[in-house]
Amino acid sequence: MIVLGVESSCDETGIALYDTQRGLLSHALYSQVAMHEQYGGVVPELASRDHIRRAIPLLQQVLSEGNTALNEIDAIAYTQGPGLAGALLVGASVACGLGLALNAPMLGVHHLEGHLLSPLLASNPPKFPFVALLVSGGHTQLMRVDGVGQYSLLGETLDDAAGEAFDKSAKLLGLGYPGGPAISRLAESGDPAVYQLPRPMLHSKNLNFSFSGLKTAVLTLVKKQSSAMGEQDKANIARAFVDALVEVLVVKCLAALKQTGLNRLVIAGGVGANQQLRSALDAAALKRRFKVFYPELEFCTDNGAMIAFAGAMRLQVNPEAAQRDYTFNVRPRWPLDQIGI
């Protein structure tokens, strides 16, 4: 079965083809980072318009690189939510219009389920069950995953997501957008002994997160500096921020493993590409004797491959999940633990 995947939840347009026998056939991605950079963040209307421009050329590229004809597509999976409403509507309309033309069955996929299952595309995929940390610009959640569609929420952020805290703190330091990679690079040259920032909810005795206070602490530090804050000062603040956030994430992951009794941890989402987080988790895994799995770096950010793959996995569990109903709606807010099979 060949599944076409369409992703357009925010500022990246992704198209991919996944074959349940041969694996990932091809995928293509267009990022809008350069366009949004001048505004310091994503502009939803501009994002939606750009998805319109990119979807069909990317589809043609994927078909060509995957050596696949349109009539060979067996089903189409598209991101139904969560995300920006206008951006989601573009991907859904392109996918359902194509499905109508091909008489192909359609399947709406949860964006976070795509991230959650993306490590299974790696050469060494995890086996069920496992604990998953979904960590991105819009979400920070710990889930227990017992199989496709079998997700239990263990904890989540009460305010800012980790990726959002990265971007906002980077902006306070005068770094560009997106801020996550920039502040992580800057932190590498920082001195960890200069500043100590709070670790919000580190000892909360639950698996929830909160990062707004950490961002405020960065703001307070920046305001205390002179207007001519040097690069080393910025690097020291960046290091303090990254160390605090990473420690909270690692401690909560360890607590989730202990609570569930599982020994497999999956990291998914854009912040999963962060090298400081990966290094800390790898060290903890070696010490505590559990296994940690990451998606390939190219699949950490939003992409069509994870949507095609998630759709294919769902159809293998329940072939009736895809329907030839070409009306569609999107779900900008959609709890992952409520989707079922």
Side-chain angles (χ1 to χ4, degrees):
M1 178 173 58
I2 296 178
V3 178
L4 175 72
V6 179
E7 156 62 22
S8 68
S9 63
C10 189
D11 60 343
E12 282 148 331
T13 315
I15 308 289
L17 286 169
Y18 184 84
D19 189 314
T20 51
Q21 291 186 339
R22 294 175 290 167
L24 186 63
L25 301 180
S26 59
H27 69 99
L29 182 71
Y30 182 84
S31 174
Q32 302 173 1
V33 166
M35 179 177 67
H36 296 296
E37 185 176 8
Q38 60 185 307
Y39 301 99
V42 177
V43 181
E45 177 65 21
L46 294 181
S48 302
R49 294 185 182 192
D50 202 63
H51 287 308
I52 296 171
R53 286 192 291 267
R54 309 297 175 181
I56 300 305
L58 288 177
L59 171 63
Q60 294 169 334
Q61 177 184 339
V62 163
L63 292 170
S64 175
E65 293 177 356
N67 194 27
T68 302
L70 275 173
N71 59 11
E72 294 181 90
I73 295 173
D74 296 300
I76 300 175
Y78 65 94
T79 302
Q80 189 175 13
L84 301 175
L88 290 167
L89 283 168
V90 174
S93 60
V94 169
C96 291
L98 183 60
L100 176 61
L102 299 176
N103 192 33
M106 308 297 305
L107 177 64
V109 171
H110 195 292
H111 176 76
L112 295 184
E113 182 174 38
H115 278 303
L116 192 67
L117 299 179
S118 61
L120 275 68
L121 285 165
S123 56
N124 180 33
K127 295 181 179 179
F128 299 115
F130 54 77
V131 170
L133 172 67
L134 287 166
V135 57
S136 66
H139 302 86
T140 304
Q141 297 177 325
L142 278 164
M143 309 287 298
R144 177 186 172 120
V145 180
D146 290 292
V148 177
Q150 301 176 50
Y151 314 125
S152 302
L153 181 66
L154 302 174
E156 61 184 339
T157 184
L158 304 180
D159 40 58
D160 289 356
E164 187 178 4
F166 264 106
D167 287 340
K168 289 180 177 179
S169 296
K171 189 173 183 178
L172 292 172
L173 292 173
L175 305 177
Y177 172 85
I183 199 171
S184 294
R185 287 192 298 269
L186 185 60
E188 291 175 1
S189 58
D191 184 343
V194 176
Y195 299 114
Q196 288 292 315
L197 290 176
R199 275 68 169 158
M201 299 189 72
L202 189 66
H203 305 294
S204 63
K205 297 183 180 180
N206 59 41
L207 297 177
N208 290 328
F209 304 88
S210 171
F211 295 112
S212 63
L214 179 57
K215 173 201 65 183
T216 302
V218 172
L219 174 62
T220 301
L221 263 184
V222 170
K223 285 184 174 180
K224 287 181 178 179
Q225 307 302 311
S226 66
S227 58
M229 182 169 54
E231 286 303 309
Q232 189 57 51
D233 287 327
K234 290 183 179 181
N236 294 340
I237 294 173
R239 178 62 183 268
F241 166 79
V242 172
D243 285 352
L245 188 142
V246 166
E247 183 179 347
V248 170
L249 292 177
V250 172
V251 167
K252 294 288 184 174
C253 286
L254 295 178
L257 290 170
K258 183 178 180 180
Q259 178 177 307
T260 59
L262 300 177
N263 66 350
R264 286 185 290 269
L265 175 68
V266 162
I267 309 300
V271 182
N274 181 274
Q275 291 305 311
Q276 288 100 334
L277 176 60
R278 289 190 176 212
S279 295
L281 285 170
D282 289 341
L286 186 63
K287 182 178 180 180
R288 302 295 184 93
R289 297 184 180 181
F290 64 89
K291 293 182 179 180
V292 59
F293 300 85
Y294 310 96
E296 302 291 346
L297 286 176
E298 62 182 327
F299 299 137
C300 284
T301 57
D302 298 348
N303 62 87
M306 69 181 191
I307 301 304
F309 179 72
M313 294 301 97
R314 281 194 156 265
L315 290 174
Q316 286 187 311
V317 174
N318 178 17
E320 303 302 317
Q323 300 291 327
R324 288 178 173 82
D325 179 1
Y326 306 107
T327 60
F328 60 88
N329 69 309
V330 296
R331 304 183 65 174
R333 296 184 181 275
W334 188 9
L336 176 59
D337 59 340
Q338 295 181 9
I339 62 176
I341 297 295

